[in-house]
Coordinates of all heavy atoms in Angstrom, one line a residue:
M1 N 60.0 243.9 244.0 CA 61.2 243.7 243.3 C 62.3 243.0 244.3 O 62.3 243.4 245.5 CB 61.7 245.0 242.8 CG 62.2 245.1 241.6 SD 62.7 246.7 241.0 CE 61.6 246.8 239.5
P2 N 63.2 242.2 243.8 CA 64.2 241.7 244.7 C 64.9 242.8 245.3 O 65.1 243.9 244.8 CB 65.0 240.8 243.8 CG 64.2 240.5 242.6 CD 63.3 241.8 242.4
Q3 N 65.6 242.5 246.4 CA 66.5 243.3 247.2 C 67.7 243.7 246.3 O 68.3 242.9 245.8 CB 66.9 242.9 248.5 CG 65.9 242.9 249.5 CD 65.5 244.3 249.9 OE1 64.4 244.7 249.5 NE2 66.2 244.9 250.7
V4 N 67.9 245.0 246.1 CA 69.1 245.4 245.3 C 69.9 246.4 246.2 O 69.4 247.4 246.6 CB 68.7 246.1 244.0 CG1 70.0 246.5 243.3 CG2 67.9 245.2 243.2
A5 N 71.1 246.0 246.6 CA 71.9 246.9 247.5 C 72.9 247.7 246.7 O 74.1 247.8 247.0 CB 72.6 245.9 248.4
E6 N 72.4 248.4 245.8 CA 73.2 249.3 244.9 C 72.6 250.8 245.0 O 71.4 250.8 245.0 CB 73.3 248.8 243.5 CG 73.9 247.4 243.5 CD 74.8 247.1 242.4 OE1 75.1 247.9 241.4 OE2 75.2 246.0 242.3
E7 N 73.4 251.8 245.0 CA 72.9 253.0 245.1 C 71.9 253.5 244.0 O 71.1 254.3 244.2 CB 74.0 254.0 245.4 CG 74.7 255.0 244.5 CD 74.3 255.5 243.5 OE1 73.4 256.4 243.4 OE2 74.7 255.2 242.3
W8 N 72.2 253.0 242.8 CA 71.3 253.5 241.7 C 69.9 253.1 241.9 O 68.9 253.8 241.4 CB 71.8 252.9 240.3 CG 71.8 251.4 240.3 CD1 72.9 250.6 240.6 CD2 70.8 250.5 240.1 NE1 72.6 249.2 240.5 CE2 71.4 249.1 240.1 CE3 69.5 250.7 239.8 CZ2 70.5 248.1 239.9 CZ3 68.7 249.6 239.4 CH2 69.1 248.2 239.5
H9 N 69.6 252.1 242.6 CA 68.3 251.5 242.8 C 67.4 252.6 243.5 O 66.1 252.7 243.1 CB 68.3 250.3 243.6 CG 67.0 249.6 243.6 ND1 66.1 249.6 244.8 CD2 66.2 248.9 242.7 CE1 65.1 249.1 244.6 NE2 65.0 248.6 243.3
S10 N 67.9 253.4 244.3 CA 67.0 254.5 245.0 C 66.5 255.5 243.8 O 65.7 256.2 244.3 CB 67.8 255.0 246.2 OG 68.8 255.8 245.7
R11 N 67.2 255.6 242.8 CA 66.9 256.5 241.7 C 66.1 255.9 240.6 O 65.7 256.6 239.6 CB 68.1 257.3 241.2 CG 68.9 258.0 242.3 CD 70.1 258.8 241.7 NE 70.7 258.4 240.5 CZ 71.9 257.6 240.4 NH1 72.5 257.3 241.4 NH2 72.3 257.3 239.2
A12 N 65.7 254.7 240.7 CA 65.1 254.0 239.5 C 63.7 254.4 239.5 O 62.9 254.7 240.5 CB 65.1 252.6 239.8
A13 N 63.2 254.6 238.3 CA 61.8 255.0 238.0 C 60.8 254.0 238.4 O 59.6 254.3 238.7 CB 61.5 255.3 236.5
C14 N 61.2 252.7 238.6 CA 60.3 251.6 239.1 C 60.2 251.6 240.6 O 59.3 251.0 241.1 CB 60.7 250.4 238.5 SG 62.3 249.8 239.2
R15 N 60.9 252.3 241.3 CA 60.9 252.3 242.7 C 59.6 252.6 243.2 O 59.0 253.6 243.0 CB 62.0 253.3 243.3 CG 62.1 253.1 244.8 CD 63.4 253.8 245.2 NE 63.5 253.8 246.7 CZ 63.9 253.0 247.4 NH1 64.4 251.7 246.8 NH2 64.2 253.0 248.7
G16 N 59.0 251.7 244.2 CA 57.8 252.0 244.7 C 56.5 251.5 243.8 O 55.4 251.5 244.2
L17 N 56.8 251.1 242.6 CA 55.7 250.7 241.8 C 55.4 249.3 242.0 O 56.2 248.5 242.6 CB 56.1 250.9 240.2 CG 56.3 252.3 239.8 CD1 56.7 252.3 238.4 CD2 55.0 253.1 240.0
R18 N 54.2 248.8 241.5 CA 53.8 247.3 241.7 C 54.8 246.4 241.1 O 55.1 246.5 240.0 CB 52.4 247.2 241.2 CG 51.4 247.9 241.9 CD 50.0 247.5 241.3 NE 50.2 246.5 240.4 CZ 49.2 246.2 239.4 NH1 48.2 247.1 239.3 NH2 49.4 245.3 238.4
E19 N 55.3 245.5 241.8 CA 56.3 244.6 241.3 C 55.6 243.7 240.3 O 56.3 243.2 239.4 CB 56.5 243.5 242.5 CG 57.6 242.6 242.2 CD 58.0 241.7 243.5 OE1 58.5 242.4 244.5 OE2 57.8 240.6 243.5
A20 N 54.3 243.5 240.3 CA 53.7 242.7 239.3 C 53.9 243.2 237.9 O 53.8 242.4 237.0 CB 52.1 242.5 239.6
L21 N 54.1 244.4 237.8 CA 54.3 245.0 236.4 C 55.6 244.5 235.9 O 55.7 244.4 234.6 CB 54.3 246.4 236.4 CG 54.2 247.2 235.1 CD1 52.9 246.9 234.4 CD2 54.1 248.7 235.5
F22 N 56.6 244.3 236.7 CA 57.9 244.0 236.2 C 58.4 242.5 236.1 O 59.4 242.1 235.6 CB 59.0 244.8 237.0 CG 58.9 246.3 236.7 CD1 58.0 247.0 237.5 CD2 59.6 246.8 235.7 CE1 57.8 248.4 237.2 CE2 59.5 248.2 235.4 CZ 58.6 249.0 236.1
F23 N 57.5 241.7 236.9 CA 57.8 240.4 237.2 C 56.6 239.6 236.7 O 55.5 239.9 237.0 CB 58.3 240.0 238.5 CG 59.4 240.6 238.8 CD1 59.6 241.8 239.4 CD2 60.7 239.9 238.5 CE1 60.8 242.4 239.7 CE2 61.9 240.4 238.8 CZ 62.0 241.8 239.4
P24 N 56.8 238.3 236.2 CA 55.6 237.4 235.8 C 54.8 237.1 237.1 O 55.3 237.1 238.1 CB 56.2 236.2 235.2 CG 57.7 236.3 235.4 CD 58.0 237.7 235.9
P25 N 53.5 236.9 236.9 CA 52.7 236.6 238.1 C 53.0 235.1 238.4 O 53.6 234.3 237.6 CB 51.3 236.7 237.5 CG 51.4 236.5 236.0 CD 52.7 237.0 235.7
P26 N 52.6 234.6 239.6 CA 52.9 233.3 240.1 C 52.1 232.2 239.3 O 52.4 231.1 239.4 CB 52.4 233.4 241.6 CG 51.5 234.5 241.6 CD 51.8 235.4 240.7
V27 N 50.9 232.7 238.6 CA 50.3 231.7 237.8 C 50.5 232.1 236.4 O 50.9 233.3 236.0 CB 48.6 231.8 238.1 CG1 48.4 231.2 239.5 CG2 48.2 233.3 237.8
A28 N 50.3 231.2 235.4 CA 50.4 231.4 234.0 C 49.6 232.6 233.6 O 48.5 232.9 233.9 CB 50.1 230.2 233.3
E29 N 50.3 233.5 232.6 CA 49.5 234.5 232.0 C 49.5 234.2 230.5 O 50.3 233.6 230.0 CB 50.2 235.9 232.4 CG 51.5 236.1 231.7 CD 52.3 237.4 232.2 OE1 51.4 238.3 232.5 OE2 53.4 237.4 232.2
R30 N 48.5 234.7 229.9 CA 48.3 234.6 228.4 C 49.5 235.4 227.7 O 49.8 236.5 228.3 CB 46.9 234.9 228.0 CG 45.8 234.0 228.4 CD 44.5 234.4 227.8 NE 44.2 235.7 227.3 CZ 43.4 236.6 227.9 NH1 42.7 236.2 228.9 NH2 43.3 237.8 227.3
K31 N 49.7 235.1 226.5 CA 50.8 235.9 225.8 C 50.3 237.3 225.6 O 51.2 238.1 225.8 CB 50.9 235.3 224.3 CG 52.1 234.3 224.2 CD 52.1 234.0 222.7 CE 52.8 232.7 222.5 NZ 52.9 232.3 221.2
D32 N 49.1 237.6 225.4 CA 48.8 239.0 225.1 C 48.8 239.7 226.5 O 49.1 241.0 226.5 CB 47.4 239.1 224.5 CG 46.2 238.5 225.3 OD1 46.5 237.4 225.9 OD2 45.1 239.1 225.5
Q33 N 48.5 239.1 227.6 CA 48.7 239.7 228.9 C 50.2 240.0 229.2 O 50.5 241.1 229.7 CB 48.1 238.8 229.9 CG 46.7 238.7 229.9 CD 46.0 237.7 230.9 OE1 46.7 236.6 231.1 NE2 44.9 238.0 231.5
R34 N 51.0 239.1 228.8 CA 52.4 239.2 229.0 C 53.0 240.4 228.3 O 53.7 241.3 228.8 CB 53.1 238.0 228.7 CG 54.7 238.1 229.0 CD 55.5 236.9 228.6 NE 56.9 237.1 228.8 CZ 57.6 236.5 229.7 NH1 57.0 235.6 230.6 NH2 58.8 236.7 229.7
R35 N 52.7 240.5 227.0 CA 53.1 241.5 226.2 C 52.7 242.9 226.7 O 53.4 243.8 226.7 CB 52.5 241.3 224.8 CG 53.3 240.3 224.0 CD 52.9 240.3 222.4 NE 53.2 238.9 221.9 CZ 52.3 238.2 221.4 NH1 51.2 238.5 221.3 NH2 52.8 237.1 220.9
Q36 N 51.4 243.0 227.1 CA 50.8 244.3 227.7 C 51.5 244.6 228.9 O 52.0 245.8 229.1 CB 49.3 244.1 228.0 CG 48.7 245.4 228.4 CD 47.2 245.2 228.6 OE1 46.6 244.2 228.6 NE2 46.5 246.3 228.4
R37 N 51.8 243.6 229.9 CA 52.5 244.0 231.1 C 53.9 244.4 230.8 O 54.3 245.4 231.3 CB 52.5 242.7 232.0 CG 53.3 242.9 233.2 CD 53.3 241.6 234.1 NE 53.8 240.5 233.3 CZ 55.1 240.1 233.1 NH1 56.0 241.1 233.5 NH2 55.5 239.0 232.5
E38 N 54.5 243.6 229.9 CA 55.9 244.0 229.5 C 56.0 245.3 228.9 O 57.0 246.1 229.1 CB 56.6 243.0 228.7 CG 57.0 241.7 229.5 CD 57.7 240.8 228.7 OE1 57.9 240.8 227.5 OE2 58.1 239.7 229.4
R39 N 55.0 245.6 228.0 CA 55.0 246.9 227.3 C 54.9 248.2 228.3 O 55.7 249.2 228.2 CB 53.9 247.0 226.2 CG 54.1 248.0 225.2 CD 53.0 247.9 224.1 NE 51.8 247.2 224.3 CZ 51.5 246.0 223.9 NH1 52.3 245.4 223.1 NH2 50.3 245.3 224.1
K40 N 54.1 248.0 229.3 CA 54.0 249.1 230.4 C 55.2 249.2 231.2 O 55.7 250.3 231.5 CB 52.9 248.7 231.3 CG 51.4 248.9 230.6 CD 50.3 248.5 231.7 CE 49.0 248.6 230.9 NZ 47.9 248.0 231.9
A41 N 55.9 248.1 231.6 CA 57.1 248.1 232.3 C 58.2 248.8 231.5 O 58.9 249.6 232.0 CB 57.5 246.7 232.8
K42 N 58.3 248.3 230.3 CA 59.4 248.9 229.4 C 59.2 250.4 229.2 O 60.2 251.1 228.9 CB 59.4 248.1 228.1 CG 60.0 246.8 228.3 CD 60.0 246.0 227.0 CE 60.7 244.6 227.1 NZ 60.7 243.9 225.8
A43 N 58.0 250.9 229.1 CA 57.7 252.3 229.0 C 58.2 253.0 230.2 O 58.8 254.2 230.1 CB 56.2 252.6 228.8
I44 N 58.1 252.5 231.4 CA 58.6 253.2 232.6 C 60.2 253.0 232.5 O 60.9 254.0 232.8 CB 58.1 252.4 233.8 CG1 56.7 252.7 234.1 CG2 59.0 252.8 235.1 CD1 55.9 251.8 235.1
C45 N 60.8 251.9 232.1 CA 62.2 251.8 231.8 C 62.8 252.9 230.9 O 63.8 253.5 231.2 CB 62.6 250.5 231.5 SG 62.3 249.2 232.6
E46 N 62.1 253.2 229.9 CA 62.6 254.2 228.9 C 62.8 255.5 229.6 O 63.7 256.3 229.0 CB 61.6 254.2 227.7 CG 61.7 253.2 226.7 CD 63.1 253.1 226.2 OE1 63.7 254.1 225.7 OE2 63.7 251.9 226.2
E47 N 62.0 255.9 230.5 CA 62.1 257.2 231.1 C 63.0 257.2 232.3 O 63.2 258.3 233.0 CB 60.8 257.7 231.7 CG 59.7 257.8 230.4 CD 60.2 258.8 229.4 OE1 60.8 259.9 229.8 OE2 60.0 258.6 228.2
C48 N 63.6 256.0 232.7 CA 64.4 255.9 233.9 C 65.8 256.5 233.8 O 66.4 256.1 232.7 CB 64.5 254.4 234.2 SG 65.3 254.0 235.9
P49 N 66.3 257.2 234.7 CA 67.5 257.8 234.7 C 68.7 256.7 235.0 O 69.8 257.1 234.7 CB 67.5 258.8 235.9 CG 66.6 258.4 236.7 CD 65.5 257.8 235.9
V50 N 68.4 255.6 235.6 CA 69.4 254.6 235.8 C 69.2 253.3 235.0 O 69.6 252.2 235.4 CB 69.5 254.3 237.3 CG1 69.9 255.5 238.0 CG2 68.1 253.9 237.8
K51 N 68.5 253.4 233.9 CA 68.2 252.2 233.0 C 69.5 251.4 232.6 O 69.4 250.2 232.7 CB 67.5 252.7 231.7 CG 67.2 251.6 230.7 CD 66.6 252.3 229.5 CE 66.5 251.1 228.3 NZ 66.0 251.7 227.2
D52 N 70.5 252.1 232.3 CA 71.7 251.4 231.9 C 72.5 250.6 233.1 O 72.9 249.5 232.9 CB 72.8 252.3 231.2 CG 72.2 252.8 229.8 OD1 71.4 252.3 229.3 OD2 72.8 254.0 229.5
L53 N 72.4 251.4 234.2 CA 73.0 250.6 235.5 C 72.2 249.4 235.9 O 72.7 248.4 236.3 CB 73.1 251.6 236.5 CG 74.0 252.8 236.4 CD1 73.7 253.9 237.4 CD2 75.4 252.3 236.3
C54 N 70.9 249.5 235.7 CA 69.9 248.5 236.0 C 70.1 247.2 235.0 O 70.3 246.2 235.6 CB 68.5 249.0 235.9 SG 67.3 247.7 236.2
L55 N 70.2 247.5 233.8 CA 70.5 246.4 232.9 C 71.9 245.8 233.1 O 72.0 244.6 233.1 CB 70.4 247.0 231.4 CG 70.7 245.9 230.4 CD1 69.9 244.7 230.5 CD2 70.8 246.5 229.0
A56 N 72.9 246.6 233.5 CA 74.3 246.0 233.7 C 74.2 245.3 234.9 O 74.9 244.1 234.9 CB 75.2 247.3 233.9
Y57 N 73.6 245.7 236.0 CA 73.3 244.9 237.2 C 72.6 243.5 236.9 O 73.1 242.5 237.3 CB 72.5 245.6 238.3 CG 72.1 244.8 239.4 CD1 73.0 244.7 240.5 CD2 70.9 244.2 239.6 CE1 72.7 243.9 241.5 CE2 70.6 243.4 240.8 CZ 71.4 243.3 241.7 OH 71.1 242.6 242.8
A58 N 71.6 243.6 236.1 CA 70.9 242.2 235.8 C 71.7 241.3 235.0 O 71.8 240.1 235.2 CB 69.6 242.6 235.0
L59 N 72.5 241.8 234.1 CA 73.4 241.1 233.2 C 74.5 240.5 234.3 O 74.9 239.3 234.1 CB 74.0 241.8 232.1 CG 73.0 242.3 231.0 CD1 73.7 243.2 230.1 CD2 72.5 241.0 230.4
R60 N 75.0 241.2 235.1 CA 76.1 240.8 235.9 C 75.7 239.8 236.9 O 76.5 238.7 237.1 CB 76.6 242.0 236.8 CG 77.9 241.6 237.6 CD 78.5 242.9 238.3 NE 77.6 243.3 239.4 CZ 77.1 244.4 239.5 NH1 77.0 245.4 238.5 NH2 76.3 244.8 240.6
I61 N 74.5 239.8 237.4 CA 74.0 238.7 238.3 C 73.3 237.8 237.6 O 72.8 236.7 238.3 CB 73.2 239.4 239.5 CG1 71.8 239.9 239.0 CG2 74.0 240.4 240.3 CD1 70.9 240.2 240.1
E62 N 73.2 237.8 236.3 CA 72.5 236.7 235.6 C 71.1 236.6 236.0 O 70.5 235.6 236.2 CB 73.3 235.4 235.5 CG 74.5 235.7 234.8 CD 75.3 234.4 234.8 OE1 74.9 233.3 235.2 OE2 76.5 234.5 234.2
E63 N 70.4 237.8 236.2 CA 68.9 237.8 236.7 C 68.1 237.0 235.6 O 68.3 237.3 234.4 CB 68.5 239.2 236.8 CG 67.1 239.3 237.2 CD 66.7 238.6 238.5 OE1 67.3 239.0 239.5 OE2 65.8 237.7 238.6
T64 N 67.3 236.1 236.1 CA 66.5 235.2 235.1 C 65.1 235.6 235.1 O 64.4 235.1 234.2 CB 66.5 233.7 235.5 OG1 66.2 233.7 236.9 CG2 68.0 233.2 235.3
Y65 N 64.6 236.6 235.8 CA 63.2 236.9 235.9 C 63.1 238.4 235.8 O 63.8 239.2 236.3 CB 62.5 236.4 237.2 CG 62.5 234.9 237.2 CD1 63.3 234.3 238.1 CD2 61.6 234.1 236.5 CE1 63.4 232.9 238.2 CE2 61.6 232.8 236.6 CZ 62.5 232.1 237.3 OH 62.4 230.8 237.4
G66 N 62.0 238.9 235.2 CA 61.6 240.2 235.0 C 62.1 241.1 234.1 O 63.0 240.7 233.3
I67 N 61.6 242.3 234.1 CA 62.1 243.4 233.3 C 63.2 244.2 234.1 O 62.9 244.7 235.1 CB 61.0 244.4 232.8 CG1 59.8 243.6 232.2 CG2 61.5 245.4 232.0 CD1 60.0 243.0 230.9
W68 N 64.4 244.2 233.6 CA 65.4 245.0 234.1 C 66.1 245.8 233.0 O 66.4 245.3 231.9 CB 66.5 244.0 234.8 CG 66.0 243.3 235.8 CD1 65.2 242.2 235.9 CD2 66.3 243.6 237.3 NE1 65.0 241.9 237.2 CE2 65.7 242.7 238.1 CE3 67.0 244.7 237.8 CZ2 65.8 242.7 239.4 CZ3 67.2 244.7 239.3 CH2 66.5 243.7 240.0
G69 N 66.3 247.0 233.2 CA 66.9 247.9 232.2 C 66.1 247.9 230.8 O 66.8 248.1 229.8
G70 N 64.9 247.6 230.9 CA 64.2 247.7 229.7 C 64.1 246.5 228.8 O 63.5 246.3 227.8
L71 N 64.7 245.4 229.3 CA 64.8 244.1 228.7 C 64.2 243.0 229.4 O 64.4 242.9 230.7 CB 66.2 243.8 228.3 CG 66.9 244.7 227.4 CD1 68.4 244.1 227.2 CD2 66.2 244.9 226.1
N72 N 63.5 242.1 228.9 CA 62.9 240.9 229.5 C 63.9 239.8 229.6 O 65.1 240.0 229.1 CB 61.6 240.5 228.9 CG 61.7 239.9 227.4 OD1 62.8 239.6 227.1 ND2 60.7 240.0 226.7
E73 N 63.6 238.6 230.1 CA 64.5 237.6 230.3 C 65.1 237.1 229.0 O 66.3 236.9 228.9 CB 63.8 236.4 230.9 CG 63.1 236.7 232.2 CD 61.6 237.2 232.1 OE1 61.2 237.5 231.0 OE2 60.9 237.1 233.1
A74 N 64.3 236.8 228.0 CA 64.7 236.4 226.7 C 65.7 237.4 226.0 O 66.7 237.1 225.5 CB 63.6 236.1 225.7
E75 N 65.3 238.7 226.1 CA 66.1 239.8 225.5 C 67.5 239.8 226.2 O 68.6 240.0 225.6 CB 65.4 241.1 225.5 CG 64.2 241.1 224.6 CD 63.2 242.2 225.0 OE1 63.2 242.7 226.2 OE2 62.4 242.5 224.1
R76 N 67.5 239.6 227.5 CA 68.8 239.6 228.2 C 69.7 238.4 227.8 O 71.0 238.6 227.7 CB 68.6 239.7 229.7 CG 68.1 241.2 230.1 CD 68.2 241.3 231.7 NE 67.6 240.3 232.4 CZ 66.4 240.2 232.8 NH1 65.5 241.2 232.3 NH2 65.9 239.1 233.6
R77 N 69.0 237.2 227.6 CA 69.7 236.0 227.3 C 70.4 236.2 225.9 O 71.7 235.9 225.7 CB 68.9 234.8 227.2 CG 68.7 234.2 228.6 CD 68.1 232.8 228.5 NE 66.7 232.8 227.8 CZ 65.6 233.1 228.3 NH1 65.5 233.2 229.5 NH2 64.5 233.0 227.6
V78 N 69.8 236.9 225.0 CA 70.2 237.1 223.6 C 71.5 238.1 223.8 O 72.6 237.8 223.2 CB 69.3 237.7 222.6 CG1 69.8 238.3 221.4 CG2 68.1 236.6 222.3
L79 N 71.3 239.1 224.6 CA 72.3 240.1 224.7 C 73.6 239.5 225.4 O 74.7 239.7 225.0 CB 71.8 241.3 225.6 CG 72.9 242.5 225.8 CD1 73.3 243.0 224.5 CD2 72.1 243.5 226.7
S80 N 73.3 238.7 226.4 CA 74.4 238.0 227.0 C 75.2 237.1 226.1 O 76.4 236.9 226.1 CB 73.9 237.2 228.3 OG 73.5 238.0 229.3
S81 N 74.5 236.3 225.3 CA 75.0 235.5 224.4 C 75.9 236.2 223.3 O 77.0 235.7 223.0 CB 74.0 234.6 223.6 OG 73.2 233.8 224.5
R82 N 75.4 237.4 222.9 CA 76.2 238.1 221.9 C 77.4 238.6 222.6 O 78.5 238.7 222.0 CB 75.4 239.3 221.4 CG 74.2 238.8 220.5 CD 73.5 240.0 220.0 NE 72.4 239.6 219.1 CZ 71.3 240.3 218.8 NH1 71.1 241.5 219.3 NH2 70.4 239.8 218.0
R83 N 77.3 239.0 223.9 CA 78.5 239.6 224.5 C 79.5 238.5 224.7 O 80.8 238.8 224.6 CB 78.2 240.1 225.8 CG 77.4 241.6 225.8 CD 77.0 242.0 227.1 NE 76.7 243.3 227.0 CZ 76.5 244.2 228.0 NH1 76.8 243.8 229.2 NH2 76.1 245.5 227.8
R84 N 79.1 237.3 225.1 CA 80.0 236.2 225.3 C 80.7 235.8 223.9 O 81.9 235.6 223.9 CB 79.3 235.0 225.9 CG 79.1 235.0 227.2 CD 78.6 233.8 227.9 NE 77.4 233.3 227.5 CZ 76.2 233.6 228.0 NH1 76.2 234.5 229.1 NH2 75.1 233.3 227.6
A85 N 80.0 235.9 222.8 CA 80.5 235.5 221.5 C 81.5 236.5 221.1 O 82.5 236.2 220.3 CB 79.4 235.3 220.5
A86 N 81.3 237.8 221.5 CA 82.1 238.9 221.0 C 83.5 238.9 221.9 O 84.5 239.4 221.5 CB 81.5 240.3 221.1
S87 N 83.6 238.2 223.0 CA 84.7 238.2 223.9 C 85.8 237.3 223.4 O 85.6 236.2 222.8 CB 84.3 237.8 225.3 OG 83.4 238.6 225.9

């Protein structure tokens, strides 16, 4: 996982887990492999005590890769677009 200099990160459920679960591999993955990887990562996020802080961080820095706060890249783009439209 990229370096995160925020205190919530030390309480994240993903801390110490394999980065490969939360970020796409360096080589292309099949759709079914991606869905399975993301499903596993999102299940960890669901139990995370800092899920909302993680998502807020990813939105604030406009993180373009990985599962953050239970959302993948495309889901965060949609959320960001809706927030901008509502402003």
Side-chain angles (χ1 to χ4, degrees):
M1 227 177 236
Q3 286 295 103
V4 179
E6 301 212 7
E7 102 26 72
W8 60 263
H9 188 251
S10 64
R11 299 188 331 260
C14 63
R15 186 165 174 82
L17 295 178
R18 289 186 5 205
E19 184 175 304
L21 191 58
F22 294 88
F23 293 93
V27 295
E29 65 185 334
R30 293 187 337 246
K31 263 189 208 179
D32 60 322
Q33 291 173 319
R34 179 182 177 111
R35 283 190 201 115
Q36 183 178 23
R37 176 182 55 79
E38 287 187 353
R39 201 171 19 257
K40 289 177 183 177
K42 288 177 178 186
I44 293 167
C45 292
E46 279 305 310
E47 302 298 321
C48 185
V50 294
K51 176 183 170 185
D52 294 338
L53 295 171
C54 178
L55 178 57
Y57 173 80
L59 293 171
R60 186 174 74 247
I61 68 164
E62 298 179 358
E63 177 60 58
T64 55
Y65 296 102
I67 305 293
W68 291 80
L71 299 182
N72 66 24
E73 303 92 341
E75 293 162 338
R76 288 194 307 276
R77 276 194 303 273
V78 169
L79 182 58
S80 290
S81 296
R82 288 180 183 162
R83 286 180 169 194
R84 281 192 294 271
S87 299

